[in-house]
Amino acid sequence: MAGFSLGGGYSRGMIIAVDGPSGSGKSSTARGVADRLGLRFLDTGATYRAVTWSAIEHGLDLDDTAAVAQRARELRLELSTDPLNQFVIADGTDVTAAIREPRISERVSKIATNLDVRKELIRRQREIIDEAQPSGGIVVEGRDIATVVATDAELKVLLTADQEARLARRGAELAVGSVTAEQLRDQIVRRDADDSTVADFQVASDGAVTIDSTDLSLEEVIDVISRLAKEASPRSHDS
Ligand SMILES: Nc1ncnc2c1ncn2[C@@H]1O[C@H](COP(=O)(O)OP(=O)(O)O)[C@@H](O)[C@H]1O
Ligand SMILES: Nc1ccn([C@H]2C[C@H](O)[C@@H](COP(=O)(O)OP(=O)(O)O)O2)c(=O)n1
């Protein structure tokens, strides 16, 4: 989906925001939509996970909010925005797999509820969104994209699914035996409760479309969002 010029040389593509709770299908859906529409992709959760990894690597007390925020500001972070080739490099180390480990998932909410860390990461997320505009735009997934990070997104989606479906999906995704049932429930139920103290992803924001994926396949969700995106695209209003 080509961008369009607003005059003055600024090229504005399109921003699609996909927010929702853990296991609702945000990442896989957003990647699929980005691939289908030729847009870039940003997994903002990976930025919080990368800071968590770095803070642990540096032996920081995660409750020392000032020290963790300083780490976030100093972290050299490289995120792929290619939906088909995702990687995360933190201070020169490829942490793409490491940031998905249970030891990170269990602690990331502590980082994500550090408001100074949020301020720094939202600044970086917005830079990435701006850099993607000349190439046509970007699909951004997380918890606060429509409400905070990119309030001017042309399409805002709140992607939900019932708790049992989210538990089942996350469970099926993780290697057998890699997490206990308690760890899985912690990753979904406890983390949602923690995350919702700093981001409102339980109720659709103004202008957002709510999609309940409980009984939809991944492809069906990608189809729906892709169609909505084409209708919302700035170019769809060209005369
Ligand atoms: N609509 C769906 N139906 C069934 N499985 C899905 C659906 N959407 C995503 N999944 C699968 O559920 C798991 C979690 O999806 P993910 O995109 O990581 O969710 P989130 O980013 O919201 O935590 C993945 O294995 C993904 O392939
Ligand atoms: N924009 C965002 C993205 C993620 N977070 C929080 C929510 C989670 O606890 C962590 C990790 O997010 P991530 O999307 O990787 O988690 P799930 O894949 O949804 O389980 O960061 C946030 O507060 N704001």
Side-chain angles (χ1 to χ4, degrees):
M1 182 174 302
F4 67 103
S5 170
L6 286 174
Y10 178 75
S11 171
R12 173 71 154 91
M14 181 174 191
I15 301 171
I16 299 170
V18 181
D19 292 307
S22 184
S24 61
K26 297 183 303 303
S27 293
S28 40
T29 297
R31 278 199 306 273
V33 170
D35 178 38
R36 183 165 309 172
L37 300 182
L39 300 177
R40 308 307 289 177
F41 163 75
L42 175 59
D43 170 1
T44 59
T47 67
Y48 292 96
R49 289 174 177 272
V51 170
T52 306
W53 177 88
S54 182
I56 293 169
E57 285 294 301
H58 281 73
L60 298 183
D61 172 359
L62 302 190
D63 289 314
D64 184 345
T65 54
V68 172
Q70 184 58 23
R71 180 88 292 273
R73 287 187 288 269
E74 292 171 355
L75 179 64
R76 287 184 293 113
L77 188 55
E78 184 185 351
L79 287 165
S80 161
T81 58
D82 179 344
L84 299 182
N85 179 28
Q86 281 294 289
F87 58 79
V88 179
I89 298 174
D91 285 339
T93 302
D94 186 327
V95 295
T96 308
I99 63 172
R100 303 291 167 190
E101 293 170 359
R103 70 187 181 103
I104 302 298
S105 297
E106 289 160 4
R107 295 171 175 83
V108 64
S109 289
K110 180 79 71 176
I111 301 305
T113 50
N114 179 324
L115 298 183
D116 287 329
V117 168
R118 296 197 76 83
K119 181 180 176 183
E120 170 62 16
L121 291 183
I122 288 168
R123 181 187 67 78
R124 296 192 193 209
Q125 291 158 15
R126 286 172 172 161
E127 283 181 345
I128 294 170
I129 291 168
D130 289 347
E131 288 162 6
Q133 294 313 305
S135 66
I138 191 166
V139 185
V140 190
E141 60 103 348
R143 299 293 192 284
D144 60 341
I145 312 309
T147 54
V148 176
V149 177
T151 55
D152 59 344
E154 282 80 9
L155 176 61
K156 300 175 179 179
V157 175
L158 176 64
L159 186 57
T160 65
D162 69 30
Q163 186 171 291
E164 289 318 304
R166 294 189 289 122
L167 282 164
R169 289 174 185 174
R170 181 63 82 220
E173 181 183 40
L174 298 171
V176 173
S178 64
V179 289
T180 64
E182 292 72 22
Q183 285 176 312
L184 188 58
R185 187 163 287 274
D186 174 78
Q187 281 195 34
I188 297 290
V189 179
R190 190 270 306 159
R191 197 145 57 84
D192 278 351
D194 289 351
D195 298 339
S196 57
T197 64
V198 289
D200 181 8
F201 57 87
Q202 313 284 6
V203 177
S205 61
D206 291 347
V209 175
T210 298
I211 297 175
D212 183 338
S213 70
T214 304
D215 299 315
L216 296 173
S217 70
L218 175 56
E219 277 308 304
E220 286 172 323
V221 179
I222 292 171
D223 288 345
V224 169
I225 296 176
S226 297
R227 176 174 50 76
L228 291 171
K230 288 172 183 173
E231 292 167 2
S233 162
R235 294 195 63 80
S236 66
H237 304 305
D238 282 355
S239 53

